[in-house]
C-alpha cells in the first residue's frame, strides 16, 4: 500500500507537499494519509509501483515488545547524516508526555518511552528497532543537551494502521480533558483511600499509579459533566482504568454516546456521566488566508496550552496587512468592528463585507494573556487581500482552495470637518501657519520587491495644494510604487490616497487625496520657496514633539552638502545627486519631520528621513526647489516627465581632480567661477541598460555640461529636460568631449511574474546602479517561505537566464517558459548570482499551492494594477 509511518510534527497539521528518498536514492512523491489529532504520529502514502530498482521491505510493528532494559537501535538521519544507526536502551515505558515548550506541539493522554541514546536531531519518525528487527516504538523527540530521548509507543499506531488498511475511518473520541499519570503516593496526597489503592493494585498488579485529571477545557464535556482538576480516575463504565491505552479504547468506541466516569475527589467517590465527542471534528480542517495572514479555528492543542475554551479564531501568521499584531504570542481574534467572531465562518462573513479603505477595528488577545485585549485599526483592499478558504481533502491529502468573493457593502463618501492643530508660539512668526499643512502618511507594501522587505512605513507629509489634495512626503515613507497609501488629518480622519509621482533621485514623492472627503477644515497649503538656502539664513522649524504637541525650533542654516548613502545588499532605492540642508541647532536631530520656514513663512526645506538601511535612517533638510518642477506639472494636470543621465556622482576635491589630469587653466577657471567651493564631481556609478552606459565610465570626472562648468550638484538637474547632453569629462588624464543621450524615466516596476513562490521582475533602478553586468532581464526579487523556490534554494538576488534550456532575456520570455512547465515536475533553472557566479538549480513545481500568475501596472483599474489568471 506504500504507507510510511512518521511523526505528526513531520506530516504537519496543515498543507503538506513532500517526497521520500529511498536508500538507493529513488525519489517518490508522498501525500499526507493520516495525522492523529493529538498524538505524535501520522502516515504518508506513496505509490509502490514508482519504486523500480529497490525491493521494498516493511517493518513489522510490535508495541508489546517494548520493555524496560531491552537494547534498541534507532535508524534515521541523525544530524542530517543518511542512515545513521545509533544504539540505546529503553529505561522507562510509563513516562508522561515530554513538554517541548510553549506555543509548540505537545502530546497528551499517552505514555512515552524513555531511552538513553545520544541523538542530536534529524531522526524524527525513525523506527526504534529491537534485536529481532521489529519496530517497538517511534522516535519522537529528546533533549539536545542530554543523552535522553523520547519514543512514542505503537499501541495506537497499530490500531490506526489496521483501520486504514481495512479502509475504515480512524475514529478518535474526546471529552476535552487532559489526564496525567501520577504514582500512588501522589494519588494518596490527593485523597485516594488505602482500600481503594489496595483494590487497584490487586486488579492492576504491574501498575505503579493512576490517571489524574490535569486540565479541563472550559465548556467541554468533562467540565460540563462536573469533573474537576486533581480528580483521580477510578472507573469508566464499571471497569478500572489506570492506563492511557484503556482510556482511549473506551473513548474511541463511544463517540456520540455518554460514559459513566467514577473518580476519587478528596477521599470521596464521585460518579458523573460524560458525553464523548468526535475528536476529528474538533481538529481544524480548514484555514483562511488573506493578505499574507493565516487564520483557522482554535486547535485542540493550543486550547490545552492555556486551558482555553475550544472556540475562537486563531491567527497563526499576521502577514503584511497586519504588521502591528505579534503572532509569536498566539493571537485570538475576538471581534471585528462590532461583530463578535467565534469561528472562521463568522470571521469570513464579516471580513468579506468590509469596504475597501474603510478603517476597521480588530480586537484580539493572546493565548499568553487572555485578560488584556488589544485594538488594532487597519484598512484593507481586496486587490491585495484576496480571501482564500483551504479545506482538507481526505481522499487526496491536499487542501483544496476556494476563493471567497468580496461583497463589500456600499459606502457613501461623506465629507468630514477637521481642524488641524495651530501653533501659538510667537517665536514661529509667519511660519506658524505651516503647522496647518502637516498630515500623517501611512504606506503599506503588499509585496516585497526591489530590495524592500518592510510591510509598511509611516511618517508626516505636507499639503502643498489643498484644492487638488496634493501632499509631499519622503520616499522613506513611499518606498515603492506598488502600495496602499492613507493620510490621517488632524489625527481624526483617515482617508486613502494615490501615488502621483516618485522622484527617481531626490527624496520625495507626491501623493493625492480626494478633497471631496474633506468638509470644513483649516488646512492651509504650504508655499514652497524657490530660493537656495544660504549659510546664516534664519530658519523656523515647526513640528510635533514626542507627545504630538506642536512646537517651534528657531535656528540658522549651518551648511549644505551633497548626500552620500552607502549601497546595501539587497539593492534598494537610495537618494542620490541631492544637496541637503543642515542647521545649527542640535535639537533638530530629535525630530524625524518638520517644515523649515523663512521669515516670510515660505518653506525653504522639508526636514525628513532619508533611508540608509531597512533599520537605519538619517534626517536632513530637502530643499523645496527640487519639488517645484513636478508639482507645477501636476498643477497643470500633466504627468511629470523626466529624462535621466542615469549616473550617480560624488564631490571630488580639486587636488584629486588635478591628480586625475585637471589642467592649470581649468583649475583657475573653476576657482574663479566658484570661490566658496573648490570641487568637481566624479561619476561613481552608471546604470546598466541606460543610454549613458558604455559611453560614460565609472570614475570619469565631469568638467562641464552643455558648456557650463559643473560646480554644484544642481547643475546636473539639466538632465531632466534634455534628450542629450554635451559633456566634457576627464578620463585617463585627458579631457574628452562626449554627447550623451538621456533615458526616459519609466516610473519604476510595471510587471511582476509569480512562479513557484518566487517573485520576478525586470532589473530595477537600484539593481542597475549596483551591478556591473546584467546577465538577463529577469531578476528574482523575493521568495516566499515554504515555497518550492525556497525549498530548492532559489534566492532573491539571482538573475534567471534559462528555464529548461530556453533563454529568458526578458519577463515575457520567462513567463512563457515557466507556463510551459508541467505541474509536479522539475524545472532546470539556470541562474547567475548577484556576484555573477553561474549555477543550475532544479525547482519542482506545485501549482496547487503555488500557481503561476502576473501583476501588471494598469492605470484603468482602481488600484492601478491588474492581476492575470492563474495557471
Amino acid at each position: 500500500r506504500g504507507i510510511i509511518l512518521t511523526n505528526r510534527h513531520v506530516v504537519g497539521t496543515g498543507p503538506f507537499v513532500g517526497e521520500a528518498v529511498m536508500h538507493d536514492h529513488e525519489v517518490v512523491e508522498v501525500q499526507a494519509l493520516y495525522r492523529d489529532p493529538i498524538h505524535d504520529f501520522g502516515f504518508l502514502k506513496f505509490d509502490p509501483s514508482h519504486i523500480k530498482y529497490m525491493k521494498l521491505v516493511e517493518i513489522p510493528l510490535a508495541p508489546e515488545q517494548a520493555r524496560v532494559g531491552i537494547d534498541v537501535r534507532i535508524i534515521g538521519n541523525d544530524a542530517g547524516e543518511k542512515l545513521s544507526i545509533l544504539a540505546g536502551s529503553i529505561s522507562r515505558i510509563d513516562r508522561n508526555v515530554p513538554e517541548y515548550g510553549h506555543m509548540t506541539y505537545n502530546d497528551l493522554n499517552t505514555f512515552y518511552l524513555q531511552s538513553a541514546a545520544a541523538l542530536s536531531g534529524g531522526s524524527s519518525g525513525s523506527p526504534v528497532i529491537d534485536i529481532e528487527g521489529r519496530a517497538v516504538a517511534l522516535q519522537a523527540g529528546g533533549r539536545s543537551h542530554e543523552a535522553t530521548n523520547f519514543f512514542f509507543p505503537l499501541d495506537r499506531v497499530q490500531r490506526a494502521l489496521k483501520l486504514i488498511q481495512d479502509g475504515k475511518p480512524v475514529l478518535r473520541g474526546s471529552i476535552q480533558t487532559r489526564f496525567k499519570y501520577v504514582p500512588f503516593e501522589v494519588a494518596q496526597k490527593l485523597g485516594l483511600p488505602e482500600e481503594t489503592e489496595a483494590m487497584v493494585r490487586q486488579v492492576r498488579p504491574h501498575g505503579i499509579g493512576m490517571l489524574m485529571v490535569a486540565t479541563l477545557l472550559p465548556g467541554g464535556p468533562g467540565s460540563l459533566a462536573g469533573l474537576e482538576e486533581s480528580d483521580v480516575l477510578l472507573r469508566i463504565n464499571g471497569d478500572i482504568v489506570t492506563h492511557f491505552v484503556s482510556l482511549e479504547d473506551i473513548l474511541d468506541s463511544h463517540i456520540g454516546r455518554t460514559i459513566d466516569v467514577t473518580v476519587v475527589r478528596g477521599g470521596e467517590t464521585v460518579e458523573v456521566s460524560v458525553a464523548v465527542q468526535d475528536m476529528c471534528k474538533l481538529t481544524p480542517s480548514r484555514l483562511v488566508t488573506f493578505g499574507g495572514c493565516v487564520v483557522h479555528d482554535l486547535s485542540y492543542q493550543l486550547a490545552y496550552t492555556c486551558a482555553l475554551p475550544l472556540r475562537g479564531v486563531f491567527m497563526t501568521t499576521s502577514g503584511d496587512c497586519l504588521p502591528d499584531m505579534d503572532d509569536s504570542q498566539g493571537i485570538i481574534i475576538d471581534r471585528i468592528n462590532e461583530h463578535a467572531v467565534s469561528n472562521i465562518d463568522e470571521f469570513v462573513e464579516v471580513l468579506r463585507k468590509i469596504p475597501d479603505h474603510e478603517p476597521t477595528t480588530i480586537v484580539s488577545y493572546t493565548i499568553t494573556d487572555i485578560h488584556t485585549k488589544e485594538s488594532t485599526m487597519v484598512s484593507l483592499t481586496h486587490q491585495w487581500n484576496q480571501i482564500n478558504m483551504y479545506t482538507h481533502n481526505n481522499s487526496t491529502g491536499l487542501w483544496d482552495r476556494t476563493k471567497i468573493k468580496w461583497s463589500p457593502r456600499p459606502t457613501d463618501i461623506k465629507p468630514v470637518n477637521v481642524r488641524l492643530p495651530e501653533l501659538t508660539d510667537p517665536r514661529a512668526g509667519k511660519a506658524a501657519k505651516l503647522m496647518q499643512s502637516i498630515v500623517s502618511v501611512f504606506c503599506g507594501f503588499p509585496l516585497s520587491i526591489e530590495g524592500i522587505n518592510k510591510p509598511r512605513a509611516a511618517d508626516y507629509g505636507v499639503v502643498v495644494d489643498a484644492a487638488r489634495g496634493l501632499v509631499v512626503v519622503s520616499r522613506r515613507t513611499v518606498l515603492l510604487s506598488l502600495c496602499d497609501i492613507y493620510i490621517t488629518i488632524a489625527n481624526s480622519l483617515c482617508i486613502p490616497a494615490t501615488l502621483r509621482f516618485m522622484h527617481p533621485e531626490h527624496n520625495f514623492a507626491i501623493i493625492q487625496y480626494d478633497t471631496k472627503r474633506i468638509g470644513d477644515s483649516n488646512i492651509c497649503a504650504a508655499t514652497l520657496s524657490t530660493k537656495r538656502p544660504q549659510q546664516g539664513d534664519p530658519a523656523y522649524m515647526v513640528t510635533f514633539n514626542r507627545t504630538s504637541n506642536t512646537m517651534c525650533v528657531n535656528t540658522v542654516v549651518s551648511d549644505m552638502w551633497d548626500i552620500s548613502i552607502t549601497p546595501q545588499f539587497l539593492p534598494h532605492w537610495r537618494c542620490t545627486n541631492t544637496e541637503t540642508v543642515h542647521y545649527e541647532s542640535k535639537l533638530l536631530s530629535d525630530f524625524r519631520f518638520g517644515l523649515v520656514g523663512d521669515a516670510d513663512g515660505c518653506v525653504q526645506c522639508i526636514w525628513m528621513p532619508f533611508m540608509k538601511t531597512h533599520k537605519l535612517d538619517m534626517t536632513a533638510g530637502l530643499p523645496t526647489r527640487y519639488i517645484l518642477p513636478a508639482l507645477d506639472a501636476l498643477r497643470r494636470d500633466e504627468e511629470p516627465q523626466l529624462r535621466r543621465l542615469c549616473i550617480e556622482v560624488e564631490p571630488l576635491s580639486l587636488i584629486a581632480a588635478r591628480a586625475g589630469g585637471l589642467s592649470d587653466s581649468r583649475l583657475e577657471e573653476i576657482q574663479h567661477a566658484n570661490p566658496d567651493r573648490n570641487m568637481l564631481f566624479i561619476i561613481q556609478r552608471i546604470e546598466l541598460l541606460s543610454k549613458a552606459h558604455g559611453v560614460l565610465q565609472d570614475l570619469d570626472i565631469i568638467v562641464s555640461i552643455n558648456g557650463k562648468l559643473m560646480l554644484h550638484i544642481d547643475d546636473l538637474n539639466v538632465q531632466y529636460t534634455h534628450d542629450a547632453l554635451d559633456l566634457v569629462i576627464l578620463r585617463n588624464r585627458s579631457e574628452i568631449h562626449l554627447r550623451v543621450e538621456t533615458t526616459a524615466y519609466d516610473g519604476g516596476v510595471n510587471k511582476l511574474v509569480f512562479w513557484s513562490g518566487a517573485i520576478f521582475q525586470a532589473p530595477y533602478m537600484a539593481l542597475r546602479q549596483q551591478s556591473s553586468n546584467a546577465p538577463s532581464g529577469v531578476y528574482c526579487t523575493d521568495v516566499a517561505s515554504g515555497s518550492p523556490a525556497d525549498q530548492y534554494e532559489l534566492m532573491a538576488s539571482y538573475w534567471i537566464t534559462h528555464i529548461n534550456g530556453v533563454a529568458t532575456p526578458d519577463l515575457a520570455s520567462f513567463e512563457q517558459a515557466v507556463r510551459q512547465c508541467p505541474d509536479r515536475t522539475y524545472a532546470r533553472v539556470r541562474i547567475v548570482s548577484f556576484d555573477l557566479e553561474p549555477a543550475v538549480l532544479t525547482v519542482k513545481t506545485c501549482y496547487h499551492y503555488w500557481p503561476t500568475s502576473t501583476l501588471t501596472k494598469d492605470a484603468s483599474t482602481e488600484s492601478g494594477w491588474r492581476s492575470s489568471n492563474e495557471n
Side-chain angles (χ1 to χ4, degrees):
R1 294 182 177 83
I3 298 176
I4 299 174
L5 170 63
T6 186
N7 291 123
R8 180 184 189 266
H9 71 260
V10 173
V11 180
T13 55
F16 172 90
V17 176
E19 296 173 332
V21 182
M22 301 300 169
H23 181 58
D24 66 344
H25 285 271
E26 289 185 78
V27 179
V28 63
E29 286 192 4
V30 294
Q31 68 184 45
L33 177 62
Y34 172 79
R35 69 262 285 176
D36 194 82
I38 57 172
H39 294 325
D40 197 10
F41 78 92
F43 295 110
L44 301 174
K45 183 177 176 59
F46 68 96
D47 187 344
S49 66
H50 291 172
I51 304 300
K52 297 180 173 60
Y53 305 105
M54 188 182 79
K55 180 181 178 181
L56 293 174
V57 178
E58 66 184 32
I59 298 177
L61 305 184
E64 70 282 355
Q65 298 300 321
R67 300 185 303 275
V68 173
I70 68 169
D71 291 332
V72 294
R73 299 293 184 268
I74 301 95
I75 304 176
N77 299 320
D78 187 60
E81 298 294 334
K82 178 190 173 185
L83 204 62
S84 297
I85 303 177
L86 299 179
S89 58
I90 295 178
S91 58
R92 291 185 62 184
I93 61 173
D94 58 358
R95 188 195 192 283
N96 277 303
V97 296
E99 295 182 3
Y100 297 121
H102 184 69
M103 288 298 296
T104 188
Y105 171 76
N106 290 289
D107 211 329
L108 67 149
N109 289 350
T110 182
F111 288 123
Y112 265 64
L113 282 61
Q114 184 170 309
S115 168
L119 296 176
S120 58
S123 293
S124 290
S126 299
V128 180
I129 305 295
D130 69 1
I131 196 170
E132 302 294 336
R134 300 168 297 193
V136 298
L138 182 69
Q139 165 67 18
R143 294 195 179 106
S144 59
H145 57 283
E146 300 174 4
T148 301
N149 264 269
F150 308 126
F151 303 149
F152 183 78
L154 298 182
D155 305 86
R156 309 308 292 167
V157 174
Q158 193 174 52
R159 169 185 176 270
L161 178 61
K162 181 66 168 59
L163 290 170
I164 291 172
Q165 290 171 333
D166 293 342
K168 298 178 180 178
V170 182
L171 300 178
R172 301 286 278 111
S174 170
I175 57 174
Q176 297 192 28
T177 303
R178 181 174 70 91
F179 290 89
K180 183 178 180 181
Y181 191 70
V182 295
F184 283 116
E185 61 179 283
V186 175
Q188 292 171 4
K189 296 174 184 178
L190 296 174
L192 181 69
E194 290 185 8
E195 59 273 16
T196 303
E197 177 184 345
M199 181 267 296
V200 172
R201 285 181 180 272
Q202 183 178 7
V203 176
R204 301 284 186 263
H206 300 294
I208 61 170
M210 302 177 70
L211 298 179
M212 178 197 74
V213 175
T215 305
L216 291 160
L217 296 190
S223 176
L224 294 177
L227 292 178
E228 296 181 3
E229 286 82 358
S230 78
D231 283 351
V232 177
L233 178 63
L234 183 58
R235 292 186 178 87
I236 299 180
N237 291 343
D239 295 327
I240 292 178
V241 176
T242 61
H243 198 284
F244 284 116
V245 173
S246 303
L247 170 66
E248 292 203 307
D249 278 340
I250 295 172
L251 295 179
D252 294 346
S253 60
H254 285 77
I255 296 174
R257 295 184 286 169
T258 60
I259 55 175
D260 296 325
V261 179
T262 304
V263 297
V264 176
R265 180 184 303 161
E268 300 293 330
T269 300
V270 178
E271 296 184 359
V272 297
S273 293
V274 186
V276 180
Q277 296 178 324
D278 186 345
M279 189 188 301
C280 295
K281 293 183 179 179
L282 304 178
T283 303
S285 59
R286 297 180 300 165
L287 61 86
V288 171
T289 66
F290 68 101
C293 299
V294 180
V295 300
H296 54 72
D297 289 329
L298 182 64
S299 71
Y300 206 57
Q301 295 286 340
L302 288 172
Y304 275 113
T305 300
C306 294
L308 297 175
L310 193 55
R311 62 175 181 271
V313 176
F314 179 79
M315 178 174 290
T316 184
T317 305
S318 59
D320 292 342
C321 71
L322 299 173
D324 285 334
M325 305 182 78
D326 182 10
D327 54 36
S328 65
Q329 299 301 312
I331 300 170
I332 296 180
I333 305 298
D334 183 69
R335 181 164 49 87
I336 301 178
N337 291 333
E338 70 276 14
H339 305 286
V341 291
S342 59
N343 55 59
I344 58 171
D345 291 319
E346 295 176 358
F347 178 85
V348 168
E349 187 62 23
V350 173
L351 186 67
R352 72 184 189 90
K353 294 181 180 179
I354 298 175
D356 281 2
H357 310 299
E358 180 176 284
T360 300
T361 300
I362 297 179
V363 178
S364 64
Y365 57 92
T366 65
I367 285 181
T368 56
D369 184 6
I370 63 174
H371 309 288
T372 305
K373 293 185 178 181
E374 295 188 2
S375 176
T376 304
M377 193 189 79
V378 298
S379 295
L380 304 175
T381 57
H382 70 275
Q383 172 75 28
W384 316 122
N385 299 288
Q386 169 64 47
I387 307 174
N388 295 307
M389 173 82 79
Y390 289 86
T391 304
H392 182 241
N393 186 323
N394 289 324
S395 61
T396 65
L398 297 171
W399 291 63
D400 298 329
R401 182 180 68 166
T402 302
K403 288 186 176 182
I404 306 297
K405 184 178 180 181
W406 281 77
S407 301
R409 64 182 187 279
T411 63
D412 296 328
I413 297 178
K414 297 179 181 179
V416 177
N417 300 333
V418 291
R419 304 296 297 177
L420 287 158
E422 298 180 4
L423 180 61
T424 58
D425 191 336
R427 296 175 298 174
K430 294 181 179 180
K433 64 180 181 181
L434 297 176
M435 185 59 71
Q436 294 164 231
S437 63
I438 299 178
V439 297
S440 298
V441 180
F442 171 89
C443 197
F445 311 109
L447 298 173
S448 295
I449 60 174
E450 297 189 6
I452 302 297
N453 56 17
K454 292 173 64 68
R456 62 164 193 173
D459 217 303
Y460 293 102
V462 53
V463 178
V464 292
D465 192 319
R468 292 178 173 82
L470 297 176
V471 176
V472 173
V473 63
S474 167
R475 278 211 59 176
R476 179 63 179 85
T477 304
V478 183
L479 293 165
L480 300 169
S481 59
L482 197 155
C483 61
D484 281 333
I485 306 174
Y486 296 91
I487 293 175
T488 301
I489 302 175
N491 208 24
S492 57
L493 174 64
C494 181
I495 57 177
T498 56
L499 177 63
R500 295 302 308 274
F501 177 73
M502 296 175 67
H503 200 283
E505 297 180 356
H506 304 320
N507 188 44
F508 77 92
I510 301 177
I511 59 179
Q512 186 174 31
Y513 62 87
D514 186 354
T515 57
K516 295 178 182 178
R517 294 177 178 268
I518 310 297
D520 181 38
S521 75
N522 63 340
I523 296 176
C524 180
T527 301
L528 306 186
S529 173
T530 60
K531 298 178 182 178
R532 180 171 179 259
Q534 301 294 324
Q535 286 182 321
D537 283 352
Y540 309 87
M541 190 176 89
V542 297
T543 184
F544 292 99
N545 61 21
R546 293 178 180 177
T547 58
S548 299
N549 292 322
T550 60
M551 68 173 296
C552 171
V553 177
N554 290 352
T555 183
V556 297
V557 177
S558 62
D559 200 2
M560 292 81 68
W561 64 69
D562 304 328
I563 196 165
S564 178
I565 298 176
T566 304
Q568 301 291 317
F569 181 82
L570 300 162
H572 60 71
W573 185 86
R574 298 171 298 119
C575 179
T576 59
N577 302 335
T578 302
E579 180 184 73
T580 56
V581 184
H582 301 265
Y583 296 88
E584 189 176 89
S585 175
K586 301 297 184 182
L587 286 175
L588 269 65
S589 62
D590 294 336
F591 303 101
R592 287 181 56 85
F593 184 89
L595 299 182
V596 184
D598 57 21
D600 296 325
C602 297
V603 180
Q604 61 178 219
C605 81
I606 304 175
W607 188 259
M608 58 170 56
F610 290 69
M611 181 177 181
K612 298 179 72 175
T613 69
H614 284 98
K615 297 182 178 180
L616 183 63
D617 301 335
M618 61 169 288
T619 50
L622 179 74
T624 53
R625 65 181 184 275
Y626 290 132
I627 301 169
L628 288 170
L631 178 60
D632 290 341
L634 292 173
R635 284 171 170 167
R636 296 191 302 268
D637 296 325
E638 300 173 359
E639 294 298 321
Q641 302 294 326
L642 296 183
R643 301 190 66 81
R644 301 177 56 239
L645 200 53
C646 300
I647 63 174
E648 180 181 347
V649 301
E650 290 186 358
L652 182 73
S653 68
L654 292 184
I655 191 170
R658 289 189 66 197
L662 185 70
S663 65
D664 290 343
S665 60
R666 281 291 194 190
L667 176 64
E668 185 176 349
E669 181 184 4
I670 292 168
Q671 290 178 329
H672 179 73
N674 189 21
D676 61 334
R677 285 196 176 187
N678 292 328
M679 64 181 185
L680 286 176
F681 291 87
I682 186 171
I683 298 176
Q684 288 292 341
R685 295 172 187 84
I686 305 168
E687 286 183 29
L688 291 175
L689 311 179
S690 68
K691 294 181 178 180
H693 190 261
V695 180
L696 296 174
Q697 296 180 10
D698 290 352
L699 305 182
D700 282 349
I701 301 172
I702 301 177
V703 178
S704 68
I705 301 177
N706 287 350
K708 178 184 176 183
L709 292 173
M710 185 177 174
L711 305 176
H712 190 276
I713 193 68
D714 282 10
D715 294 335
L716 192 59
N717 290 348
V718 68
Q719 66 176 318
Y720 300 136
T721 55
H722 286 70
D723 293 335
L725 299 173
D726 294 316
L727 272 64
V728 177
I729 64 168
L730 274 176
R731 181 188 298 169
N732 298 329
R733 302 184 63 81
S734 300
E735 283 194 4
I736 302 176
H737 294 256
L738 296 173
R739 184 166 181 80
V740 185
E741 292 185 60
T742 56
T743 304
Y745 174 50
D746 59 7
V749 62
N750 52 48
K751 184 174 182 178
L752 301 171
V753 177
F754 302 82
W755 178 70
S756 291
I759 305 177
F760 303 87
Q761 65 175 110
Y764 54 96
M765 190 178 84
L767 177 63
R768 300 194 302 264
Q769 287 175 335
Q770 293 180 221
S771 300
S772 59
N773 186 24
S776 166
V778 182
Y779 180 79
C780 180
T781 191
D782 188 52
V783 174
S785 177
S787 66
D790 180 39
Q791 179 181 356
Y792 295 100
E793 299 182 346
L794 179 61
M795 299 173 62
S797 77
Y798 284 176
W799 303 83
I800 312 300
T801 63
H802 296 77
I803 297 291
N804 287 334
V806 178
T808 55
D810 51 38
L811 274 182
S813 58
F814 174 80
E815 180 186 356
Q816 182 178 6
V818 297
R819 286 193 181 277
Q820 293 176 358
C821 298
D823 190 19
R824 304 304 295 157
T825 62
Y826 283 97
R828 288 179 291 110
V829 183
R830 183 175 292 275
I831 63 98
V832 177
S833 72
F834 183 77
D835 294 325
L836 303 182
E837 297 176 357
V840 175
L841 306 175
T842 56
V843 177
K844 190 171 187 178
T845 57
C846 179
Y847 297 141
H848 186 84
Y849 297 120
W850 304 98
T852 304
S853 62
T854 62
L855 189 64
T856 307
K857 186 176 287 188
D858 186 347
S860 65
T861 63
E862 181 182 355
S863 67
W865 294 88
R866 171 174 46 83
S867 299
S868 74
N869 293 326
E870 300 170 348
N871 65 337

